[in-house]
Amino acid sequence: MAGGRSDPVDRDVAIVGGGPAGCSAGVFAARYGLDTVVFDRGNASLRQCAHLENFLGFPAGIDVETFYDLMYDHATEAGCDVVRELVQRVERPDGSAFELETQSGRRVTANRVVAATRYGGDYLRPLDGDAMFRTVEGEDGAVDERFDLDYADAEGRTPVDGLYVAAPAGEQNAQAILSAARGARVARALIADRRREQGYPDTLADHWDWLRRDAERDPEWRDRWREWFDDRVPDDYDGDAGHLEALREADVERRADVYLSDAEIELRRDRAHDRLLEHLDDERLLEHLDDDRMRAYLQSGDADSDQSMDREQD
């Protein structure tokens, strides 16, 4: 556990904010295997958008409600818990794990926290006080306090160990697609830090979330990955050789899961399409169907009709 904490911590990662930045960070963290929760109070600025038309992958745009449903579904599919609550306060009472308190009084501890809210950072004040904020004087002379956009570095790391900022981040959050990219970048930095904590040298800290075709794998693929790993261990590495070998073998086994057969690729393609269809309006789907029997099947919702259709075609 971070900071040497011995008592149980609820989560590896707690993300405050369930917009594109927060959900994107959650997907990457959870897919790596980190126990991740995303808190979302439900009134992000993106919800004020009339229709989202510049997020890649939606040729005619996407209504914001469906877009949020897709984001939450993706985060949940990756392994996140999405909690619809406002986080009011984050602190570190004993200097090790973070403690988050929600508006309802719920308390959750986590080893790492990702701030992903556009509504400011007052809830983070207990962690580093005024150092997180700067004052801005308006034209009318009024002084306004805002979260300091330079508090976090380019990858979201902050002076508080284990605290990352995906938002607010100025122009990096100016559009939904930039926010999603920012969340992914911060999560990758978090994962790299986690790997360093486990004992990976800097040259092996980065993790790539990438699925490969099984056809790329030859009988010696494990040895090739071991060789790739060993070649990147610095000559001056002074860690425990046995522990590093265990990390290498764990990485090799992790790599085994990224190779997909043609059959598995097809199954995932079909499942991906099915999951998208779940978010589409049934009436719109029916309007695009020409087959009367399929139309009747969808309207009835009777799975047994699928078998009767097959018999008619025979």
Side-chain angles (χ1 to χ4, degrees):
M1 296 297 182
R5 185 183 177 102
S6 58
D7 52 313
V9 174
D10 298 320
R11 302 286 183 165
D12 293 322
V13 181
I15 298 172
V16 185
C23 286
S24 180
V27 166
F28 275 79
R31 281 177 57 82
Y32 184 72
L34 299 177
D35 187 354
T36 303
V37 59
V38 177
F39 290 97
D40 181 35
R41 71 172 184 168
N43 60 345
S45 57
L46 179 58
R47 290 188 180 277
Q48 300 173 27
C49 176
H51 191 76
L52 183 59
E53 291 192 336
N54 58 3
F55 203 99
L56 188 65
F58 300 101
I62 182 75
D63 63 281
V64 174
E65 182 180 356
T66 301
F67 182 69
Y68 264 90
D69 287 345
L70 287 165
M71 286 198 303
Y72 291 153
D73 201 2
H74 194 173
T76 302
E77 175 74 14
C80 298
D81 286 328
V82 178
V83 178
R84 308 292 184 88
E85 288 194 52
L86 169 68
V87 172
Q88 288 188 316
R89 184 179 181 88
V90 180
E91 56 188 351
R92 221 175 194 173
D94 58 3
S96 56
F98 295 94
E99 186 174 282
L100 297 84
E101 182 179 358
T102 70
Q103 190 173 35
S104 69
R106 176 177 181 172
R107 291 181 179 271
V108 175
T109 55
N111 288 320
R112 290 176 171 81
V113 169
V114 177
T117 60
R118 284 183 56 83
Y119 60 85
D122 280 343
Y123 65 97
L124 299 173
R125 191 181 291 275
L127 297 175
D128 204 12
D130 293 340
M132 295 181 169
F133 301 88
R134 60 185 177 89
T135 56
V136 178
E137 185 175 345
E139 294 181 359
D140 58 357
V143 175
D144 185 24
E145 187 179 58
R146 299 178 185 175
F147 189 82
D148 187 353
L149 298 182
D150 294 325
Y151 185 73
D153 68 14
E155 293 187 311
R157 296 184 180 91
T158 73
V160 178
D161 185 34
L163 173 66
Y164 303 79
V165 175
E171 288 301 312
Q172 296 180 76
N173 296 137
Q175 304 273 219
I177 197 164
L178 297 179
S179 290
R182 171 71 176 171
R185 184 176 187 182
V186 171
R188 293 192 72 243
L190 182 154
I191 292 167
D193 291 345
R194 169 59 178 157
R195 286 168 65 85
R196 291 186 184 95
E197 185 181 84
Q198 291 176 299
Y200 290 91
D202 288 346
T203 50
L204 288 162
D206 288 335
H207 170 73
W208 299 90
D209 190 344
W210 186 267
L211 298 178
R212 297 171 176 267
R213 294 182 179 274
D214 198 40
E216 299 177 12
R217 179 165 51 174
D218 60 33
E220 291 80 33
W221 74 270
R222 290 178 184 272
D223 290 336
R224 293 184 188 278
W225 278 119
R226 292 186 180 103
E227 182 179 352
W228 178 91
F229 188 103
D230 292 341
D231 285 346
R232 282 157 181 76
V233 177
D235 293 336
D236 59 353
Y237 177 76
D238 59 358
D240 180 81
H243 180 63
L244 185 62
E245 181 179 350
L247 292 176
R248 183 191 67 189
E249 294 307 303
D251 257 17
V252 169
E253 290 308 311
R254 183 186 291 274
R255 304 259 184 201
D257 294 332
V258 307
Y259 287 100
L260 303 181
S261 66
D262 289 343
E264 178 64 21
I265 292 171
E266 184 70 13
L267 285 173
R268 294 197 181 200
R269 185 193 71 86
D270 290 346
R271 186 167 185 271
H273 289 185
D274 289 342
R275 294 300 296 272
L276 289 174
L277 288 170
E278 291 172 6
H279 292 274
L280 300 181
D281 182 80
D282 290 343
E283 294 300 322
R284 299 296 300 166
L285 287 173
L286 290 172
E287 290 179 10
H288 287 273
L289 293 175
D290 296 325
D291 192 312
D292 291 337
R293 287 173 298 175
M294 181 61 75
R295 186 185 301 273
Y297 167 71
L298 289 176
Q299 288 177 329
S300 69
D302 184 0
D304 291 338
S305 65
D306 192 33
Q307 297 177 358
S308 64
M309 287 172 58
D310 289 340
R311 286 194 295 270
E312 290 176 11
Q313 292 170 354
D314 290 339

